[in-house]
Amino acid sequence: MSRLRFCLQLGFTLTVCLFMIVPVIMSVMAGLTANYFVGLESGLTLRWVQEVWALYADTIWLSIRLALACLCFTVLLGVPAAYGLLRSKRRWANAIEEALLLPVAIPGLATALALLLAYGHMRGFRESWLFILIGHVLFTLPFMIRPVLAVMRGARLAELEEAAASLGAGFRQRFLGVVVPNCVGGILAGALMVVTLSIGEFNITWMLHTPLNKTLPVGLADSYASMRLEIGSAYTLIFLAMTLPLLVVIQWAGRFANRSRTP
């Protein structure tokens, strides 16, 4: 019975994996074939990838710039915010922690519309990529605060800070020398979420972008809507080639940080 159960579980797992992976493989192959409707018989080519790069390279660089800027802002805002929520003993701290989920629960289009109503009249700001950055920071900030706060709660920071204070460390020394090093795992976990969500975010970006400020997901939607299927698939290939190594590097950094902290 145990062997049968194992085979059933393995078969179910492989079926689910194939259900998710096969469409990705088909999309990648469509971006590498000369003619998708003819199939592999038409031959393999990098022509569509080259055309995507020629047409949409600026969207790729903008997405990378947005993701890195979003990561910087969420770290600078999220780590102190998580620390403040940890140290606060007041009831409103719990309300704020729950309110952090609002940008996730509210549809991205509604968030973008609110930003347009509030700041859309500022023409120079509206046409800048910084306008999109604000939407990304609002959306991704909870994904930085939550894991950092969870790590802080399990790190016995109060005892460590008390020991550092007894040695004469000031607040800045305690925060940078005790708090931040002990929540590196949470920061890296949040960074993984922030970068991936920022690169792939579409709803907010679609409402806030201008013709001169298209990001990678907006360009991907545009290529599928107005170009050949092969070009849209080649765009997907570039998207995967850009995000997958980044995810591997961030996960490796998280494991390395956890390993270095283990005595």
Side-chain angles (χ1 to χ4, degrees):
M1 288 297 296
S2 60
R3 184 176 181 82
L4 177 62
R5 188 183 303 113
F6 171 78
C7 292
L8 291 175
Q9 292 174 345
L10 178 62
F12 177 76
T13 303
L14 292 177
T15 301
V16 173
C17 291
L18 288 174
F19 181 77
M20 295 186 294
I21 294 175
V22 167
V24 177
I25 296 176
M26 292 182 64
S27 179
V28 170
M29 293 305 299
L32 295 176
T33 54
N35 190 318
Y36 172 72
F37 298 100
V38 176
L40 292 177
E41 296 177 359
S42 62
L44 299 177
T45 180
L46 292 177
R47 171 191 169 189
W48 309 119
V49 176
Q50 294 170 351
E51 288 197 23
V52 168
W53 189 259
L55 293 171
Y56 297 102
D58 55 335
T59 68
I60 297 172
W61 294 119
L62 178 58
S63 291
I64 294 175
R65 187 162 71 248
L66 271 172
L68 295 178
C70 185
L71 176 59
C72 293
F73 276 99
T74 52
V75 170
L76 293 175
L77 296 174
V79 176
Y83 182 70
L85 291 173
L86 177 72
R87 297 300 299 270
S88 178
K89 304 299 182 182
R90 299 184 180 182
R91 295 180 180 178
W92 53 261
N94 293 329
I96 292 178
E97 185 177 350
E98 297 301 325
L100 288 173
L101 295 177
L102 285 178
V104 182
I106 297 176
L109 295 177
T111 302
L113 180 60
L115 290 174
L116 286 172
L117 292 175
Y119 306 110
H121 62 282
M122 304 170 62
R123 183 173 179 180
F125 183 51
R126 171 70 181 88
E127 296 175 353
S128 171
W129 67 275
L130 297 175
F131 193 53
I132 303 176
L133 176 62
I134 289 182
H136 283 212
V137 171
L138 287 175
F139 177 66
T140 59
L141 186 59
F143 295 95
M144 177 60 71
I145 295 178
R146 284 280 181 163
V148 172
L149 183 59
V151 170
M152 285 182 175
R153 283 173 173 165
R156 298 187 304 172
L157 287 181
E159 299 177 12
L160 297 174
E161 284 192 85
E162 184 178 353
S166 67
L167 297 175
F171 173 76
R172 183 193 297 182
Q173 291 176 309
R174 296 198 306 271
F175 183 77
L176 297 178
V178 176
V179 176
V180 173
N182 280 277
C183 63
V184 170
I187 294 174
L188 290 174
L192 176 65
M193 294 295 296
V194 167
V195 171
T196 53
L197 288 172
S198 178
I199 291 178
E201 208 293 316
F202 176 77
N203 292 329
I204 295 176
T205 310
W206 183 79
M207 284 283 288
L208 300 182
H209 87 280
T210 65
L212 299 178
N213 287 324
K214 287 184 179 181
T215 62
L216 196 153
V218 175
L220 179 60
D222 179 71
S223 67
Y224 271 112
S226 58
M227 299 288 181
R228 290 181 55 131
L229 177 64
E230 292 88 350
I231 292 182
S233 298
Y235 207 132
T236 303
L237 175 61
I238 293 178
F239 182 85
L240 293 174
M242 186 179 73
T243 55
L244 291 181
L246 185 61
L247 299 181
V248 172
V249 169
I250 294 178
Q251 287 185 336
W252 175 84
R255 293 178 182 176
F256 179 79
N258 292 331
R259 192 181 308 159
S260 63
R261 289 179 56 222
T262 303

